[in-house]
Amino acid sequence: MKLIIQIPCLNEESTLPLTIRDIPRKIEGLSKVEILIIDDGSTDRTVDIAKQLGVDHIVRFPKNKGLAEAFKAGIDASLKLGADIIVNTDADNQYKGSDIPKLIAPILRGEYDMIVGDRKTDNIPHFSRTKKFFQRFGSSVVRKLSQTDVPDTTSGFRAYSRDAALRLNIVSEFTYTLETIIQAGHKKLAVGHVEIGTNGKLRESRLFKGITNYMRRSAKTIIRIYTMYRPMKVFVLAGAFSLIIGLLLGLRFLYFLASGSGNGHIQSLILAAVLMIIGFQLGTLGLIADLISNNRKLLEEALYRVRKIELSQPINMDDNYESNTQPIQGSKKQIS
């Protein structure tokens, strides 16, 4: 069994050494533990530091592409390198690397496909009350929409079995954390959680500019992903709401018409007609979107089978790989 720990990085020369040194390189039940760095267009010495620390594999982006793209590239590279389990952690040393054995244990036992680390955010001292509230509220929304019981849905410390990683199809350009849980829930993967520890805060988050920006972008991601998997429900509910409001306005107009003052409420009749038409159109769109969603599910299943066959054998050194200039521990590989 091979574990690859992937770490997305953006200008992490100061925090990366702390993160890597905390990662266990031998874990019971695993034959190999390797570290993969995804350099998301860093302009500092992140890559040089990673090489000096003995990182096994490096994926490099010449330009910053964002956390979601870095996560996708890491998953793809880990699968190509033959990972049986993939752990994702952050380069800012937020999570305790010593908790990795606990994180992957349920997957090793075959009980779960995906495990999310629960930080117990209410107990993190540097989280403000506002942030703690939105963490609880956002996680409750994602739990309901994904039909899972993950208490900390924004945690980036998580583990995936090989099969679960093969089934992931990230479309968000913001973050993977919410999308992967909603996807896993609707794909009927076994999603669990374990309590983990956290380290002290070393820097501000680079993912978002303030809580308002984070909430806005997270809401867009949640709505988009949920609509992909439950389009009929979303469109029919929206259409039903519009139709009901239209009917109520129509009944209001009929009431005034019956009382002899209908001429002064012709606007209600026009608005009622518009809302009922919109409601009908939304219902029709729901049917069309549901057909598209079913086709997408078939395509995802076909993609899963193709990827499974394509990645059945780990890659060897080829034209896409080159040795690090100064390998520290064993053979290192760099993915450009």
Side-chain angles (χ1 to χ4, degrees):
M1 292 283 285
K2 183 184 199 179
L3 167 67
I4 292 184
I5 301 157
Q6 65 171 49
I7 311 174
C9 295
L10 174 62
N11 297 330
E12 304 286 3
E13 64 177 6
S14 61
T15 59
L16 189 59
L18 298 173
T19 302
I20 290 179
R21 286 168 185 158
D22 196 30
I23 294 174
R25 297 307 296 256
K26 291 185 178 180
I27 299 175
E28 186 177 353
L30 298 173
S31 58
K32 290 183 180 180
V33 178
E34 297 178 353
I35 299 175
L36 165 70
I37 295 298
I38 307 99
D39 174 42
D40 191 16
S42 296
T43 56
D44 65 358
R45 298 182 61 250
T46 294
V47 172
D48 293 333
I49 295 296
K51 292 176 180 179
Q52 293 172 16
L53 293 169
V55 166
D56 300 276
H57 313 284
I58 298 173
V59 177
R60 300 195 69 177
F61 291 165
K63 182 179 179 181
N64 177 255
K65 295 185 178 182
L67 181 59
E69 287 295 328
F71 175 80
K72 285 194 292 184
I75 290 292
D76 185 60
S78 296
L79 290 170
K80 288 178 179 177
L81 291 164
D84 297 294
I85 301 176
I86 302 170
V87 165
N88 186 91
T89 189
D90 291 348
D92 61 0
N93 200 40
Q94 176 184 176
Y95 308 107
K96 291 183 178 294
S98 56
D99 282 334
I100 289 176
K102 179 166 63 173
L103 188 72
I104 67 172
I107 295 178
L108 282 172
R109 294 193 297 266
E111 297 171 355
Y112 289 95
D113 302 302
M114 172 179 168
I115 296 292
V116 180
D118 178 13
R119 294 170 290 179
K120 293 293 181 182
T121 53
D122 281 344
N123 299 327
I124 298 179
H126 62 265
F127 276 20
S128 66
R129 289 184 179 180
T130 301
K131 187 171 183 178
K132 289 177 180 178
F133 168 77
F134 282 116
Q135 288 279 359
R136 290 194 303 270
F137 175 74
S139 292
S140 67
V141 171
V142 174
R143 281 197 299 273
K144 184 175 180 61
L145 297 182
S146 64
Q147 300 174 357
T148 65
D149 62 352
V150 177
D152 185 8
T153 58
T154 59
S155 170
F157 194 49
R158 46 183 68 191
Y160 303 88
S161 68
R162 182 176 181 83
D163 190 72
L166 282 167
R167 293 184 180 276
L168 293 178
N169 296 290
I170 309 300
V171 298
S172 171
E173 297 179 354
F174 175 48
T175 178
Y176 63 90
T177 54
L178 306 177
E179 180 176 354
T180 49
I181 291 176
I182 295 174
Q183 274 197 27
H186 288 285
K187 290 182 178 182
K188 306 301 182 184
L189 298 179
V191 182
H193 58 90
V194 297
E195 291 187 17
I196 58 168
T198 57
N199 297 310
K201 182 179 180 181
L202 297 179
R203 62 165 175 78
E204 296 295 332
S205 173
R206 298 187 182 128
L207 182 60
F208 56 90
K209 300 176 181 179
I211 193 67
T212 302
N213 174 267
Y214 178 74
M215 291 300 297
R216 177 176 56 81
R217 299 184 71 176
S218 294
K220 287 172 60 178
T221 299
I222 291 171
I223 293 170
R224 180 182 183 185
I225 301 306
Y226 184 74
T227 303
M228 283 177 57
Y229 286 91
R230 291 291 185 270
M232 176 73 93
K233 186 175 182 179
V234 172
F235 282 102
V236 168
L237 284 176
F241 178 77
S242 179
L243 191 62
I244 290 171
I245 298 298
L247 287 172
L248 291 175
L249 288 173
L251 291 173
R252 178 177 180 270
F253 173 78
L254 291 176
Y255 168 77
F256 284 111
L257 181 65
S259 63
S261 57
N263 291 337
H265 297 277
I266 192 68
Q267 298 91 339
S268 296
L269 180 62
I270 295 172
L271 182 57
V274 170
L275 288 173
M276 285 190 285
I277 291 171
I278 291 174
F280 177 77
Q281 289 178 333
L282 286 172
T284 303
L285 284 174
L287 291 172
I288 296 172
D290 190 59
L291 293 174
I292 295 173
S293 177
N294 288 332
N295 286 333
R296 180 188 52 74
K297 290 176 183 177
L298 293 175
L299 289 173
E300 284 188 344
E301 182 63 26
L303 178 61
Y304 162 73
R305 293 174 182 272
V306 169
R307 293 177 74 190
K308 193 171 183 179
I309 295 171
E310 179 186 12
L311 301 174
S312 58
Q313 294 295 327
I315 57 173
N316 297 313
M317 297 288 284
D318 57 26
D319 293 337
N320 294 323
Y321 288 76
E322 59 185 82
S323 298
N324 287 345
T325 54
Q326 295 180 341
I328 305 300
Q329 298 175 0
S331 174
K332 310 291 179 243
K333 299 169 188 160
Q334 177 170 318
I335 309 172
S336 302

